[in-house]
Amino acid sequence: MSDKPLTSEIVIEAKGLKKFFGSKSVLKGIDLTVFQSEVVAIIGRSGSGKSTLLRCLNGLEAFQEGSVRINGAELKTNNAQTLRALRQQIGMIFQSFNLFPHLSVGENLMLAPHLVHKKTKNELSTQAINLLKRVGLEEKFHAFPDELSGGQQQRVAIARALAMGPSILLCDEITSALDPELVSEVLQVVESLAQEGMTLLMVTHEMNFAKKVSHRVIFMHEGRVHEEGSSIDLFTNPKTTELKQFLSSI
Amino acid sequence: MDNAIYSGRDVVEFSIWDVLRNLLLAARWTVALSLITFAAGGLVAIILVLIRNRTDRWGKHVVVLYVQLFQGTPLLMQLFLAYFGLSALGFQISAWGAASLALTLYCSAFLSEIWHGCIQAVSKGQWEASACLALNWAEQMRYIILPQAIKLAIPPTVGFMVQAVKATALASVIGFIELTKAGTMIANATFKPFMVFSIIGVLYFCLCYPISRYARSLERKMNVR
């Protein structure tokens, strides 16, 4: 767990969030509050709505009912201008990395700050090199994504998200597509971010990691927050039968 | 006697050079028609792709209907309609104009379908990742999606361009004098259809082969990065 004390400042606030795919209800009224520098793990079976919740928080998915506030500003999925502002504060890392295959690692890191923040070439390359150092890949600046291992690609993806200077990072099963021996190098980076005070909201199947790093764990079941609490409470003393079943099945 | 036609009292002989020269002159119109078709057809196709990507449901339906209409009917019929149909409606249109119009519509339908497919083929994750980096639609298109889509689009686009060069031959049916029409006239005058159409074949090949070759080198260049 991070040594930094939590402030009481709310950075993510979702109220009564409901989401349907056609007639299928995926999120059935989610209330979620995340404080600054808090690390929250979301666990649950596939299809429980974990990823959808994450994707609603940065506007990748539209929701039908409820509201989301990021750093106090209301999220409106139909307003490109406010979405653009919001997405500079909230980064996302995907299961499938989604690096831009036609750009080098350095270009992957520099493109968005160049277009959105209008930084100069020098600033951009200095920042990119520093970020690559931070994830241990400074020698890969000129490499292309398909020349990297999965773990390396995911670390570049993290660096790319950090290049926009977000205060919140959403991690959507970021180690699920990795070979087992590559998982720890990515988790180490995430852990160091948590220690530096980044607000992290992560959907994960790495229970040991969730236990070790997160302040709070949320168990989702059938589109609802079924149980939540500190990571110690939730893992050692689950209250609902669904969570007990889930924990025993993994 | 076979090799001559009577023109008044004189027998006119055609040498191979005469035939070739006249075919080459006519080939200019094939080239011109092809270029107009690519340029105008490509432009209309870009507009169609934009409409299809940027508008809500009705815009998509209109474009899909347009594509189905021009892909699902013979080009020959489209040429007839553009030429005789428009003049029957009171619009005076030259064979040149009608051929350009029909081929442009035809090409734009095929090209827009090809290009739309190539944009669709870029994975959804690329859209999402670039959206999460706060890029707007135009930036996503320009820097992320199009560079990947264009690479996919080269082989089918060139394949279709080669088809389109050959399709210009159909414009001969409305009296537009391009390579094929000129060839038919010369064959009738010289009574040497085999020679004339062989030359025509070689000329079409000379037009199409460089396009394919260029496409292959372009593909190779883009794969190298």
Side-chain angles (χ1 to χ4, degrees), chain B residues 11-55:
Chain B
V11 174
V12 181
E13 284 277 347
F14 292 92
S15 66
I16 286 194
W17 167 240
D18 287 328
V19 172
L20 185 63
R21 190 170 55 92
N22 281 295
L23 287 177
L24 279 172
L25 287 174
R28 289 180 308 172
W29 297 109
T30 293
V31 172
L33 189 58
S34 302
L35 289 178
I36 286 185
T37 304
F38 295 152
L43 199 68
V44 176
I46 289 171
I47 294 167
L48 291 175
V49 170
L50 284 179
I51 293 174
R52 201 161 169 180
N53 273 286
R54 287 302 272 173
T55 56

Side-chain angles (χ1 to χ4, degrees), chain A residues 112-169:
Chain A
H114 166 64
L115 293 173
V116 181
H117 294 156
K118 315 274 183 239
K119 290 188 175 172
T120 65
K121 266 210 169 116
N122 272 336
E123 287 175 318
L124 287 168
S125 61
T126 315
Q127 185 199 31
I129 290 164
N130 285 336
L131 285 167
L132 285 176
K133 272 185 193 152
R134 189 163 168 187
V135 298
L137 290 171
E138 63 265 45
E139 78 284 4
K140 299 293 185 189
F141 189 90
H142 296 290
F144 278 86
D146 60 5
E147 297 162 356
L148 305 180
S149 73
Q152 290 172 331
Q153 288 193 47
Q154 194 61 294
R155 280 144 67 198
V156 172
I158 294 172
R160 184 177 67 176
L162 293 177
M164 292 300 286
S167 59
I168 305 164
L169 266 189

Side-chain angles (χ1 to χ4, degrees), chain A residues 186-207:
Chain A
V186 171
L187 294 184
Q188 269 166 22
V189 173
V190 177
E191 193 175 349
S192 73
L193 290 175
Q195 277 159 5
E196 287 163 32
M198 177 74 75
T199 308
L200 284 169
L201 194 53
M202 49 191 191
V203 170
T204 185
H205 292 293
E206 298 287 333
M207 292 308 149

Side-chain angles (χ1 to χ4, degrees), chain A residues 52-95:
Chain A
T52 308
L53 171 60
L54 221 55
R55 294 161 61 87
C56 281
L57 295 179
N58 71 346
L60 276 187
E61 300 275 359
F63 45 88
Q64 280 76 37
E65 277 178 51
S67 69
V68 172
R69 286 179 169 276
I70 306 292
N71 291 330
E74 173 135 26
L75 167 64
K76 296 190 187 104
T77 47
N78 55 5
N79 185 324
Q81 208 74 44
T82 59
L83 264 187
R84 191 171 161 104
L86 174 127
R87 282 168 173 165
Q88 294 173 52
Q89 307 164 34
I90 187 162
M92 185 160 191
I93 304 156
F94 299 85
Q95 181 176 353

Side-chain angles (χ1 to χ4, degrees), chain B residues 120-191:
Chain B
Q120 294 293 304
V122 177
S123 87
K124 208 172 145 235
Q126 296 288 309
W127 283 104
E128 292 184 346
S130 48
C132 287
L133 292 168
L135 268 57
N136 61 32
W137 185 83
E139 290 165 344
Q140 287 177 294
M141 261 309 190
R142 160 80 180 76
Y143 295 99
I144 307 300
I145 306 302
L146 283 184
Q148 298 181 55
I150 286 172
K151 209 161 125 183
L152 297 172
I154 289 174
T157 302
V158 173
F160 177 73
M161 279 167 89
V162 169
Q163 292 290 327
V165 169
K166 293 183 283 178
T168 58
L170 282 177
S172 59
V173 297
I174 54 172
F176 180 70
I177 302 174
E178 39 64 72
L179 187 51
T180 303
K181 178 73 177 173
T184 314
M185 290 157 71
I186 292 169
N188 287 340
T190 58
F191 303 116

